[in-house]
Amino acid sequence: MKAIVFEQTGDPSVLKYAEVPKPELAPGTALLKVHAAGINFADTFFIRGEYMIKPRLPDTPGMEAAGVIEAVAPDVKDLKPGMRVTSITLKAYAEYCLVRPAQVIPLPDFVSFEEGAAFPIQVLTAWHILHTAHQTGPGQTVVVHSAAGGVGIVAVQIAKAAGARVIGTVSSDSKTALVKQYGADEVINYESSDFAAETMRLTGGRGADLILDAVGKPTFEPGLKCLALFGHLLLYGRAGGAPDPLNVFRLFEKSAKVSGFVLPVVFGMPELMREGIEKSFALIREKKLELLIGKTFPLSQAAEALRLLQSRQSVGKLVLVP
């Protein structure tokens, strides 16, 4: 089968499109024929050897895949060949990959494979940030950084569906109309404006109840300045680098809180995971959530796709199609 492989860590230039052996079923796994693989910023950390899961060289990147179950191990009872599914997995930049039942999500008929590849990490991260790590509801103001990106564009819609006022931030004016189209009440270009000052202005000096921050260093300190009383800054990524160490006594000023979120924490909580899946699919079915596929690439162009992601020029979800 064809797959993307890398034999040394580095930037996307280390990736190669190559012929590799088809994965062999292991106990507790199923073989997925990949129809679409999701691209995530974490993939760039993985190929640099800087992610929480370290590559075993030579290795294949990719953490999301949607497709059809082709075969299942004898001890797997909940999955059957022919099922349309999406999954959080490993080695997804390939024509086939192995998946584990606990991380497999059956796809409804109204969700395409490309949309399925955009679902597990982006949608469930956004949903659990807004409804598990925080209780988002009417009367709250939510700031979503990188609002045109994969998680951001989903978070804007889920926060809006919960009744919140949503302020999105973007890196260029060209993304403003798109973010408003997907439900943001206001959009701030954080490259050309002081987003903290703008947030305070837009809220009449009150500040934000919740800030979703996947950028890190450039946005973390300003974010603390524009929180409302009892506000919450939630860090779930570091695309712009790790923030400087926090002096926790700064939180006393507004009785604010800072927290972190990574989706794998929810994997071991089946009921919570199921709630996020069911309620997110319900939002899609009710047309309150649309999965934006910014661009699809042939599998062979994985390096180009990752470079586009790193350029901050992309919108929505980038997807690879074998």
Side-chain angles (χ1 to χ4, degrees):
M1 69 168 190
K2 294 294 187 181
I4 298 297
V5 297
F6 62 106
E7 298 174 344
Q8 63 185 47
T9 56
D11 63 25
S13 65
V14 303
L15 300 179
K16 298 177 182 178
Y17 184 59
E19 187 75 28
V20 301
K22 193 174 177 179
E24 295 184 3
L25 279 176
T29 68
L31 181 65
L32 180 71
K33 180 173 176 53
V34 179
H35 286 245
I39 293 176
N40 294 282
F41 211 92
D43 298 339
T44 66
F45 292 115
F46 180 71
I47 65 175
R48 292 205 305 261
E50 298 173 1
Y51 192 59
M52 62 180 71
I53 300 171
K54 303 302 180 185
R56 298 181 179 180
L57 301 174
D59 210 333
T60 293
M63 301 175 188
E64 283 175 301
V68 176
I69 298 292
E70 184 159 297
V72 297
D75 61 337
V76 172
K77 305 304 180 186
D78 297 332
L79 301 178
K80 304 294 181 186
M83 289 179 65
R84 296 176 74 252
V85 302
T86 185
S87 182
I88 297 172
T89 184
L90 296 172
K91 304 180 187 295
Y93 288 15
E95 292 180 321
Y96 292 87
C97 69
L98 295 180
V99 295
R100 294 191 175 275
Q103 296 175 349
V104 170
I105 302 167
L107 278 183
D109 291 340
F110 55 82
V111 178
S112 69
F113 288 122
E114 288 81 5
E115 291 169 333
F119 184 87
I121 293 177
Q122 270 71 22
V123 175
L124 295 180
T125 294
W127 194 90
H128 284 292
I129 284 174
L130 290 162
H131 291 298
T132 302
H134 189 86
Q135 284 70 52
T136 305
Q140 296 183 23
T141 296
V142 177
V143 171
V144 180
H145 285 310
S146 302
V151 175
I153 204 77
V154 172
V156 166
Q157 296 173 79
I158 295 178
K160 195 66 182 172
R165 179 188 183 189
V166 181
I167 300 173
T169 78
V170 294
S171 59
S172 69
D173 291 336
S174 62
K175 299 177 181 180
T176 298
L178 176 74
V179 175
K180 285 191 174 181
Q181 176 188 335
Y182 279 81
D185 297 285
E186 306 285 350
V187 181
I188 302 168
N189 181 337
Y190 63 79
E191 291 287 352
S192 60
S193 301
D194 180 337
F195 89 82
E198 278 295 290
T199 297
M200 295 303 288
R201 182 184 69 81
L202 291 169
T203 58
R206 180 177 178 275
D209 298 286
L210 175 65
I211 298 176
L212 306 188
D213 189 351
V215 181
K217 189 176 179 66
T219 51
F220 185 80
E221 287 291 332
L224 293 175
K225 296 177 182 177
C226 63
L227 284 174
L229 298 179
F230 299 102
H232 182 187
L233 193 160
L234 196 150
L235 189 70
Y236 68 98
R238 53 185 177 96
D244 293 332
L246 170 67
N247 177 356
V248 295
F249 290 104
R250 289 192 57 195
L251 304 179
F252 286 19
E253 299 169 12
K254 296 181 177 180
S255 294
K257 67 178 178 179
V258 172
S259 70
F261 179 85
V262 289
L263 186 60
V265 170
V266 185
F267 293 168
M269 308 170 76
E271 290 187 8
L272 194 58
M273 194 72 170
R274 184 163 49 251
E275 180 185 9
I277 292 167
E278 291 175 355
K279 291 189 175 178
S280 296
F281 278 142
L283 289 174
I284 295 172
R285 186 174 55 249
E286 295 163 7
K287 307 296 184 184
K288 295 178 180 178
L289 172 60
E290 179 183 344
L291 302 182
L292 171 62
I293 307 302
K295 190 171 183 179
T296 60
F297 291 82
L299 179 62
S300 59
Q301 295 179 14
E304 180 182 339
L306 283 171
R307 281 192 283 266
L308 175 60
L309 184 69
Q310 291 177 310
S311 75
R312 299 161 66 192
Q313 299 303 308
S314 64
V315 297
K317 181 73 169 182
L318 302 182
V319 173
L320 296 175
V321 178

